[in-house]
Amino acid sequence: MPAMACCVDPAAANFPPTYATAVAGPGSLTGLLIPPPTSHVEACHWSPTCSSELYKVDGWGAPYFAVNGSGNISVRPHGASTLPHQEIDLLKIVKKVSDPKSSGGLGLQLPLIVRLPDVLKNRLESLQAAFEYAVQSQGYEAHYQGVYPVKCNQDRFVVEDIVKFGSPFRFGLEAGSKPELLLAMSCLCKGNPEALLVCNGFKDADYISLALVARKLALNTVIVLEQEEELDLVVDLSKRLSVKPIIGVRAKLRTKHSGHFGSTSGEKGKFGLTTTQILRVVKKLEQAGMIDCLQLLHFHIGSQIPSTALLADGVGEAAQIYCELVRLGAQMRVIDIGGGLGIDYDGSKSTESDISVGYTLGEYAAAVVQAIRFVCDRRSIKHPIICSESGRAIVSHHSVLIFEAVSASVYESPNMSQLGFQYFVDSLSDEAHADYMNLYSAAIRGDSETCLIYADQLKQRYVDQFKEGSLGIEQLAAVDGLCDVISKSIGAPDPVRTYHVNLSVFTSIPDFWGIGQLFPIVPIHRLEQKPSVKGILSDLTCDSDGKIDKFIGGESSLPLHELEGDGGTGTGKYYLGMFLGGAYEEALGGLHNLFGGPSVVRVSQSDGPHSFAVTRAVPGPSCADVLRVMQHEPELMFETLKHRAEECCNDSGNGIGMSALANSLAKSFRNMPYLVANTVASSSCSLTAATMNNNGFYYCNEDDEYNAAADSATTAGEDEWSYCYA
């Protein structure tokens, strides 16, 4: 079989002389396979509203996110009460954050987490309002008093915000470990003195001693027994420290949540006490003269409770246990319904999904209040204070992860000339030629499905021959090109593209990799244009799991836009946002491939010309920071490399001198691990322990509340911004 130089360009192909003037024979497909004309009617009528429907933004995003008239995702920081001039354009935030300082920006690198404290405040107020309405409308004779489980997001400023915003509601904190308890104690020193500090999780003597110290510091601390053995420690240590504890018990309910997040519920759940164990606890407390210390009942059905029917069933069962504890002599005051208040990640309002819920905040609160009131009224028991640990529902909406697509795979079919096509056909083996003739006959009949079958069969024959060594790579490329032409000509859908994103899935979206949790992912701009590509997202890590190929709505690809620039490499920026990830993702993220966390900015709504002010900003961890986490010593590493540079380079010689090389190495330690745009100008720098040892921490004092930045932004000029940057 003659060699072939790809038969896509006659001028480039080394055809034998006999083909110099040849024309396509009667068996040519070039006249049959003509791509159908592209209709631009639908594209012309595309609008931001169409994109909103396509990405289901109104479903999962309401009332905090929407597509604005410019085709960008906007934030409504005050929920449904947000006025039009208060909406914040996410693209403007990205521009402000990523533009160089010389242009008035912050000079931070993506990926980026945008925190929105106004959304956090609105979520907290909405939850409180929902329970207050349920209490008042149903004649409930106690109040709601929630706590935030800090495990959802332990960021200092998130926790401090919740304590501050929740202070009028006596909103407290829940801790599940000794470090969490320490941060909760510190934060609640500035909170409402009636706010609960609920101590959950497995406990040792140190944990219980610390909780008793919190009680001694006049914090409203409740030690919840997760194991029966913990009671002996509580009794013994409280006597030693002369502290009267408030004790709660966590009950294992029979009610079970069947979804993924309900695996710790039911009688065989990981946490809590059985009814037999609860009875033994009551007896031990009676014997110790401390039965009056037992004041709280806690339970947890599981996260993302899908329906109010399941919720009411579990709450009703717990209310029966509560009433029984009252009957047994405990001075019960509080029923803690745990977490479980879900959010609608896909906007489907489904009760059959792990990523959706079939109720509103109001319906959730009404179901809880009704179930407890019904049982207590029937048993003539005083209504208890209702506490919940609704972490996911409070913090999920308040942050957005923004990252950039840096390139995309490109599928280009070579242009098959008549001359090259004829040469290709004549070079086919007998078996391959039979496949081709079957393909030609199907094309004449207009049988598209059969065309694809024979095209795949022809391609497989070439692949087999290539593996055997009887074909060259040019011939394999030629048959690939022919099959692509056939697919396009009969209107087959374009293959799914792979978009390479400047992100680590393991660091920033660990729940997707670990448990298949889906989050809404949407381009944050260009939504006035119709997306023309279906794509999956591939991250920077050297791991096949480092990709996102499942999306809300059960889709295996995401509608995306072509990257701007030649060949799909993208000279223009293309930004994507992952939403509803404010709970757990930051706490769970690891250091796969030593990619650290994103940069972080805190953005408040402002009445200035830009509608927002950046009040805090921090660059993501540098290469030195993440190396230090894994016990490396970047300063010593730099000195080692600098010494090698002195041995290998000479400033007086040709090429890179020692000084320049040392500066380049220093800059590498200081940079983030993520990709840097080629347009960013490099600058020389020195590396010392003082300059490197920031560990990614940042702090900005705001003594005058969070409105201080917004107020200053109001008086600023149009091109001035109010922010603190460390």
Side-chain angles (χ1 to χ4, degrees), residues 226-559:
E226 301 275 4
Q227 300 179 97
E228 189 177 353
E229 302 79 36
E230 294 170 358
L231 178 60
D232 295 331
L233 289 172
V234 173
V235 172
D236 181 53
L237 291 170
S238 63
K239 291 178 179 179
R240 291 188 191 182
L241 296 173
S242 300
V243 178
K244 185 174 183 178
I246 298 177
I247 298 173
V249 292
R250 177 167 177 169
K252 287 184 178 180
L253 302 185
R254 267 69 170 182
T255 304
K256 184 171 175 58
H257 174 6
S258 60
H260 169 83
F261 295 105
S263 59
T264 58
S265 62
E267 293 181 87
K268 297 182 180 180
K270 177 179 178 181
F271 301 105
L273 308 179
T274 65
T275 53
T276 301
Q277 291 173 317
I278 291 174
L279 288 173
R280 286 203 294 262
V281 165
V282 171
K283 186 175 181 179
K284 288 181 180 179
L285 286 172
E286 286 178 337
Q287 293 171 346
M290 298 173 63
I291 188 63
D292 59 328
C293 295
L294 181 55
Q295 299 182 17
L296 179 145
L297 174 69
H298 173 46
F299 69 94
H300 179 62
I301 300 174
S303 295
Q304 282 288 112
I305 297 174
S307 68
T308 54
L310 175 63
L311 173 68
D313 190 26
V315 172
E317 180 186 349
Q320 294 287 359
I321 298 175
Y322 179 92
C323 292
E324 285 296 299
L325 290 173
V326 173
R327 182 181 65 82
L328 292 171
Q331 301 297 306
M332 302 298 291
R333 295 190 311 112
V334 182
I335 184 167
D336 181 351
I337 66 173
L341 173 54
I343 61 171
D344 193 356
Y345 288 100
D346 63 3
S348 66
K349 305 295 186 291
S350 170
T351 61
E352 305 296 329
S353 170
D354 282 339
I355 61 171
S356 185
V357 292
Y359 51 80
T360 63
L361 277 179
E363 291 167 343
Y364 176 89
V368 170
V369 172
Q370 182 179 19
I372 297 175
R373 182 181 63 82
F374 176 79
V375 173
C376 290
D377 286 351
R378 190 173 61 180
R379 300 285 300 273
S380 299
I381 298 295
K382 182 180 178 181
H383 296 170
I385 296 170
I386 299 175
C387 176
S388 75
E389 303 174 4
S390 304
R392 185 190 301 268
I394 291 174
V395 298
S396 289
H397 297 77
H398 96 283
S399 74
V400 181
L401 173 67
I402 297 175
F403 51 96
E404 182 184 358
V406 294
S407 66
S409 58
V410 179
Y411 295 92
E412 291 182 330
S413 300
N415 294 321
M416 186 78 73
S417 68
Q418 291 275 16
L419 182 63
F421 189 86
Q422 185 65 44
Y423 182 64
F424 169 76
V425 172
D426 288 350
S427 69
L428 295 174
S429 65
D430 292 340
E431 295 85 357
H433 191 272
D435 288 332
Y436 170 77
M437 292 308 299
N438 288 329
L439 173 59
Y440 176 75
S441 299
I444 291 177
R445 298 194 307 271
D447 188 348
S448 300
E449 186 174 342
T450 303
C451 272
L452 288 177
I453 292 174
Y454 283 115
D456 288 342
Q457 193 167 310
L458 178 64
K459 185 174 183 177
Q460 188 57 49
R461 287 192 190 277
Y462 263 55
V463 170
D464 292 341
Q465 292 179 32
F466 178 76
K467 290 179 178 179
E468 294 170 356
S470 58
L471 284 183
I473 193 171
E474 297 90 349
Q475 293 162 307
L476 188 63
V479 77
D480 285 341
L482 173 63
C483 291
D484 287 345
V485 169
I486 293 169
S487 295
K488 288 186 176 181
S489 297
I490 64 176
D494 291 334
V496 173
R497 300 254 195 107
T498 298
Y499 276 57
H500 306 287
V501 294
N502 197 11
L503 186 76
S504 165
V505 169
F506 304 92
T507 297
S508 295
I509 322 178
D511 270 341
F512 175 82
W513 167 70
I515 62 174
Q517 171 72 39
L518 302 184
F519 298 91
I521 297 177
V522 181
I524 68 167
H525 62 139
R526 294 179 61 184
L527 297 176
E528 79 285 3
Q529 307 169 22
K530 182 181 179 182
S532 58
V533 177
K534 288 187 177 294
I536 63 171
L537 308 180
S538 177
D539 74 359
L540 298 181
T541 65
C542 303
D543 195 304
S544 58
D545 283 338
K547 63 181 178 181
I548 303 174
D549 55 3
K550 293 182 179 63
F551 304 90
I552 63 171
E555 301 295 329
S556 58
S557 62
L558 184 69

